[in-house]
Amino acid sequence: ASNRLRNKFHGCLVGAVLGDCLGAIFENDTFQSIPIEKVQKFTREGYKKQQELFYTDDTAMARSIADSLLSKNGFHGSDMAKRFTEEYFHNPYRGYGGNVPTVFSKLRDSNYADPEGPASQQFDGSGSYGNGSAMRVAPVALFAYHDPVEEAQTIAAKTSRITHTHPDGVNGAIMQMLAVRESVILNVSQGLDVFAFLDKMLSQLKNSDTSMENRCSSYVESLVRMCRLFQESKSINSEVVYRTFGNGIAAIEAVPAALMAFLCIACEPKSSFMDVIEYAISLGGDTDTIATMAGAIAGGYYGCDSIPNGWIEKCEGTAYALQRADNLFGYAVQRYTFI
Ligand code: F2R
Ligand code: MG
Ligand code: MG
Ligand code: MG
């Protein structure tokens, strides 16, 4: 059982990196311009001709989250803010969102004294609703794996507020963390019960401290829509997903799109990690971010053994992801025995 869980931790973080690196190739392509066949031409053969596929801000920030949680044995706002910022100034060319660099500059200028302050000033005080805090949250699900779900939700919210304080940003990070957590809990050999998955997410979102945000209703609404779509048909094509949820940079579009990519594929009798990534990319739009989130969920579900070696070898940062997944596994196990 312990090896199975370790394999799922590996799959989760490596899956996130692969979704980012492969998805980045198609970033901003429209839904119509990338049918699944075009995606597969690259993900099955075309990628082999590339020397390396590079990760973007999604992975850069996820690494800072894992590093900070592990080094501080928990959430530490100033430390995490410093790591995000130093990583950004070390390499600002990872395709960061349009406005988030302002947060990094202000954090650095104020010596990280108020980790949520600069983010709360974004967009005239409404905060960012971009998907930038959901895209990087997977390590939180692993770090707090053996903690009560409320604790995991609180940490996810705190990591979000360093850059994204808008309720849709914060709740998007919580929703993505919950999806990753559940995928790691589930046993792939038992098959996926989509309705049980969605019911659990619904009750956790409703009962969580997201109610403080007063806007979790947007995501609750998305989950209810997912239930309805699956009630109508078990096989949902990508056009329905794209038209219902969108594929944009707003968390309220990208987070549900990523979860749907996982659910639509994983509920099929024969499915794989590769199918989830390809489906996620074929949605178009913010492909690196939709695929990194779908990749974290799918990797946590199927485990690292199910991930193509060719992809792992070509993508930048997979060795680091494996190492950090091991560290998080060690931490979670140690906490479990302590609890
Ligand atoms: N940005 C990209 N991809 C484009 C790459 C362009 C790059 N500069 C280049 O050409 O090299 N990808 C990455 O950005 C997304 C995550 O963004 P994040 O961290 O959420 O950024 P930000 O700036 O906070 O928000 C993004 C945009 O959303 C709109 N927005 C957000 N909140 C808003 C609000 N309250 N009111 C109005 N607009 C709001 C703004 O347009 C922001 O610029 C990921 O896709 C990552 O891969
Ligand atoms: Mg990116
Ligand atoms: Mg398409
Ligand atoms: Mg993106």
Side-chain angles (χ1 to χ4, degrees):
S2 154
N3 273 344
R4 188 176 68 88
L5 187 61
R6 186 163 170 261
N7 184 36
K8 280 170 155 282
F9 272 49
H10 284 170
C12 175
L13 292 199
V14 171
V17 175
L18 297 181
D20 182 16
C21 294
L22 291 158
I25 301 292
F26 298 90
E27 197 181 3
N28 291 328
D29 285 359
T30 61
F31 170 79
Q32 291 79 6
S33 74
I34 38 172
I36 192 82
E37 296 78 15
K38 188 169 171 187
V39 175
Q40 286 171 341
K41 208 171 159 202
F42 181 78
T43 52
R44 310 243 165 145
E45 284 303 322
Y47 82 92
K48 293 177 186 164
K49 298 193 196 101
Q50 308 272 327
Q51 203 171 19
E52 191 175 13
L53 300 175
F54 297 101
Y55 67 74
T56 77
D57 56 331
D58 306 51
T59 301
M61 298 195 86
R63 285 164 73 136
S64 293
I65 289 189
D67 292 350
S68 180
L69 291 173
L70 285 164
S71 86
K72 292 291 177 187
N73 280 322
F75 178 80
H76 187 295
S78 304
D79 180 77
M80 199 172 282
K82 189 165 186 253
R83 286 175 195 271
F84 285 157
T85 303
E86 287 180 347
E87 169 56 35
Y88 170 74
F89 284 107
H90 169 69
N91 187 353
Y93 305 110
R94 293 267 186 201
Y96 283 82
N99 292 64
V100 73
T102 308
V103 175
F104 301 136
S105 294
K106 287 184 181 174
L107 284 169
R108 188 172 67 170
D109 293 348
S110 60
N111 201 23
Y112 315 101
D114 177 11
E116 293 182 13
S120 68
Q121 294 160 13
Q122 293 290 85
F123 302 98
D124 296 324
S126 62
S128 173
Y129 56 58
N131 55 27
S133 63
M135 71 186 184
R136 65 189 187 216
V137 80
V140 174
L142 305 186
F143 181 81
Y145 183 73
H146 285 302
D147 287 300
V149 69
E150 293 81 8
E151 172 66 7
Q153 284 168 320
T154 300
I155 299 176
K158 286 179 177 172
T159 64
S160 175
R161 288 194 196 100
I162 297 172
T163 50
H164 294 66
T165 60
H166 190 286
D168 282 0
V170 178
N171 290 323
I174 293 173
M175 165 133 154
Q176 169 64 11
M177 185 283 298
L178 289 174
V180 171
R181 180 181 168 101
E182 187 58 14
S183 74
V184 177
I185 290 171
L186 289 174
N187 188 340
V188 66
S189 66
Q190 290 172 0
L192 180 73
D193 181 339
V194 177
F195 296 110
F197 192 107
L198 290 171
D199 275 354
K200 191 163 172 187
M201 294 230 13
L202 260 172
S203 69
Q204 288 179 335
L205 261 183
K206 280 181 180 163
N207 295 331
S208 74
D209 71 340
T210 57
S211 50
M212 290 183 336
E213 308 294 340
N214 222 5
R215 281 283 299 273
C216 69
S217 55
S218 337
Y219 293 96
V220 168
E221 213 176 283
S222 301
L223 289 167
V224 170
R225 261 194 225 153
M226 291 179 200
C227 287
R228 285 208 197 104
L229 286 175
F230 281 107
Q231 275 157 0
E232 282 164 22
S233 162
K234 267 213 98 179
S235 174
I236 302 168
N237 74 46
S238 57
E239 180 155 11
V240 171
V241 173
Y242 158 68
R243 296 211 179 280
T244 309
F245 301 99
N247 63 7
I249 207 164
I252 191 60
E253 294 193 19
V255 174
L259 177 56
M260 279 302 279
F262 167 69
L263 294 175
C264 291
I265 294 295
C267 73
E268 298 286 343
K270 276 192 178 173
S271 65
S272 70
F273 173 84
M274 191 182 228
D275 298 331
V276 175
I277 293 291
E278 290 168 347
Y279 187 107
I281 295 174
S282 79
L283 293 173
D286 196 357
T287 48
D288 63 327
T289 301
I290 295 174
T292 200
M293 293 191 286
I297 304 169
Y301 181 67
Y302 296 104
C304 203
D305 287 352
S306 71
I307 295 179
N309 274 328
W311 284 4
I312 295 179
E313 284 157 16
K314 279 287 177 199
C315 292
E316 181 193 19
T318 46
Y320 195 88
L322 278 171
Q323 194 187 41
R324 280 294 173 252
D326 256 341
N327 299 145
L328 289 164
F329 179 73
Y331 180 85
V333 167
Q334 170 213 320
R335 265 186 73 69
Y336 182 61
T337 34
F338 183 70
I339 291 166

